Amino acid sequence: MTKIRLKKGNIGIAIGVVVVLVVLVAGLFRWKQTIDYQKTYEYQLQKHGYSEEDTAYLLEHLNDEQLENILDRDVDENIPKFMKETYYLEKNLDAYLTYFHEHEGETIEGLDRTLTLTDVVAIVNVHADKEWYTDYTNADISKDTSLLANKFHYLGEEYEPDDLVEVSNWYAYGDKPMLRKVAYDEFIGLYNAAKEDGQDVIINSSYRDYQYQYDLYNRYISWYGQKKTDEMAARPGFSEHQTGLTVDVTTYGANENTFQDTEEFAWLQNHAHEYGFILRYPEGKEYLTGYEYESWHYRYVGVDIATYIYEHDITFDEYYAFFLEGE
Ligand SMILES: [Zn+2]
């Protein structure tokens, strides 16, 4: 009897020991799990202040290095929002946040709406958060027909395309107008197609060299002053006309003020991209292009880019920043 009782006691102790061990191991396991979880970005992002939803988004879209970068910053609910923007560029994240926080709630000049994140992305991407002509780089001439010349991309005094051809006065006004051959060939296609539809699209100004632009710009300064001139005409070396890929057009009986009311303008709105041309300075995009709306100024960029720009209603500056500019 004693023996049995002892055995029962031993079993009781053994069970007790096993239970304690199990609880201990389970506890250790849980503790290890917790420690491991606290090392995860999921835990750290949420502890940093990101919602479950934002955390999930960030985890899905960023690599470890980018997540570390996010954790090094103050929590900002705008970060995942910016990342969801179509033309978001990671290299610009700091600039987006800075610009947005400086201008949040403001109305952009020329637009009657409050600044949106989409606006901020576009503004920063095209460098319009910087002052004109102060922080520019050299235009990347290797981009050929998709090279960008604007207030932040400088062609220089010497740049002259090596395939300029003389434009026949059949298509153009002026003394020996010139264009790059590729733009001229496409323009002839455009001209003929417009003509078939009963429209006369005539070139008013085409290639302009540095010196021409220098004289023009300074003449404007004397008439309009610096600020107005900079909204109307490029400084020498920064003009799209110096690329040889640009035409100012008109039609019979029209001038710069009335061209937008002509059938030719309506035709170009629908068909210019089919020949690789885009309206370069559209209405409502002045805050991005840095130029007043010019219904007459068209730029050759090739059919693919022109079609993208036409379909997505963006400027060439935005297209270039997102697809072509690189780091
Ligand atoms: Zn022009």
Side-chain angles (χ1 to χ4, degrees):
M1 285 299 278
T2 320
K3 229 180 174 183
I4 291 166
R5 231 184 260 130
L6 261 176
K7 272 187 181 167
K8 273 188 179 165
N10 284 345
I11 290 168
I13 290 165
I15 289 173
V17 169
V18 168
V19 167
V20 168
L21 277 174
V22 166
V23 169
L24 210 66
V25 168
L28 275 171
F29 189 70
R30 267 204 69 87
W31 177 71
K32 172 88 167 74
Q33 270 189 325
T34 308
I35 295 289
D36 285 348
Y37 179 65
Q38 287 179 359
K39 287 182 191 158
T40 65
Y41 288 119
E42 182 181 356
Y43 174 84
Q44 290 181 41
L45 286 166
Q46 292 195 36
K47 189 161 171 278
H48 207 59
Y50 287 101
S51 69
E52 229 171 279
E53 194 192 330
D54 284 349
T55 299
Y57 183 85
L58 294 169
L59 288 174
E60 196 188 331
H61 292 87
L62 298 180
N63 63 31
D64 288 3
E65 196 187 322
Q66 293 166 319
L67 289 167
E68 292 289 349
N69 177 15
I70 298 287
L71 287 167
D72 284 342
R73 303 162 183 277
D74 290 342
V75 61
D76 192 329
E77 59 172 14
N78 293 306
I79 292 175
K81 287 182 190 163
F82 273 122
M83 288 175 56
K84 290 172 192 168
E85 287 291 327
T86 309
Y87 299 108
Y88 169 82
L89 291 171
E90 195 197 338
K91 65 171 178 171
N92 289 340
L93 180 57
D94 276 324
Y96 298 150
L97 295 170
T98 304
Y99 190 87
F100 186 61
H101 291 135
E102 278 173 8
H103 299 279
E104 194 171 357
E106 290 179 13
T107 303
I108 309 171
E109 200 184 328
L111 285 184
D112 42 10
R113 64 175 149 81
T114 323
L115 192 73
T116 65
L117 297 191
T118 309
D119 296 328
V120 173
V121 168
I123 288 168
V124 171
N125 282 3
V126 306
H127 311 288
D129 57 330
K130 298 177 187 142
E131 236 176 281
W132 294 344
Y133 299 116
T134 53
D135 198 351
Y136 57 83
T137 54
N138 289 328
D140 181 359
I141 288 153
S142 73
K143 294 280 193 294
D144 196 28
T145 56
S146 48
L147 89 89
L148 177 65
N150 65 11
K151 292 177 160 80
F152 304 99
H153 295 82
Y154 181 53
L155 282 168
E157 211 165 324
E158 307 297 328
Y159 180 71
E160 183 184 321
D162 53 18
D163 57 350
L164 288 172
V165 291
E166 199 174 320
V167 176
S168 158
N169 282 120
W170 182 260
Y171 308 106
Y173 294 138
D175 182 27
K176 293 193 175 160
M178 308 234 271
L179 274 179
R180 284 190 58 186
K181 187 172 186 320
V182 58
Y184 184 35
D185 290 346
E186 288 285 356
F187 183 83
I188 292 172
L190 181 153
Y191 178 94
N192 289 332
K195 194 88 181 164
E196 268 176 42
D197 290 344
Q199 315 300 327
D200 295 295
V201 181
I202 305 153
I203 296 174
N204 215 0
S205 180
S206 47
Y207 171 69
R208 305 202 292 239
D209 67 14
Y210 182 93
Q211 190 57 46
Y212 186 106
Q213 193 68 24
Y214 181 91
D215 295 340
L216 179 96
Y217 180 80
N218 285 294
R219 201 157 59 238
Y220 276 28
I221 292 269
S222 68
W223 291 341
Y224 305 110
Q226 175 101 50
K227 187 179 179 293
K228 180 79 180 154
T229 296
D230 276 334
E231 291 168 3
M232 295 170 64
R235 293 188 188 176
F238 294 89
S239 171
E240 237 194 7
H241 283 279
Q242 197 181 335
T243 67
L245 296 165
T246 293
V247 289
D248 290 344
V249 297
T250 187
T251 191
Y252 301 118
N255 59 37
E256 286 187 351
N257 294 323
T258 60
F259 185 68
Q260 62 178 316
D261 303 320
T262 64
E263 288 182 21
E264 279 75 8
F265 173 72
W267 189 92
L268 287 167
Q269 287 280 86
N270 293 322
H271 298 290
H273 68 281
E274 294 165 12
Y275 302 88
F277 285 88
I278 53 161
L279 178 70
R280 184 64 183 85
Y281 306 125
E283 191 165 26
K285 304 285 178 117
E286 298 85 348
Y287 68 104
L288 295 175
T289 64
Y291 286 100
E292 286 183 342
Y293 167 47
E294 293 192 350
S295 63
W296 58 88
H297 180 116
Y298 292 81
R299 158 71 193 270
Y300 179 76
V301 289
V303 173
D304 290 347
I305 296 178
T307 302
Y308 185 95
I309 286 172
Y310 170 80
E311 286 173 353
H312 294 82
D313 192 29
I314 60 172
T315 60
F316 181 55
D317 309 84
E318 291 164 88
Y319 181 94
Y320 186 90
F322 189 75
F323 293 107
L324 300 172
E325 184 152 33
E327 286 311 302

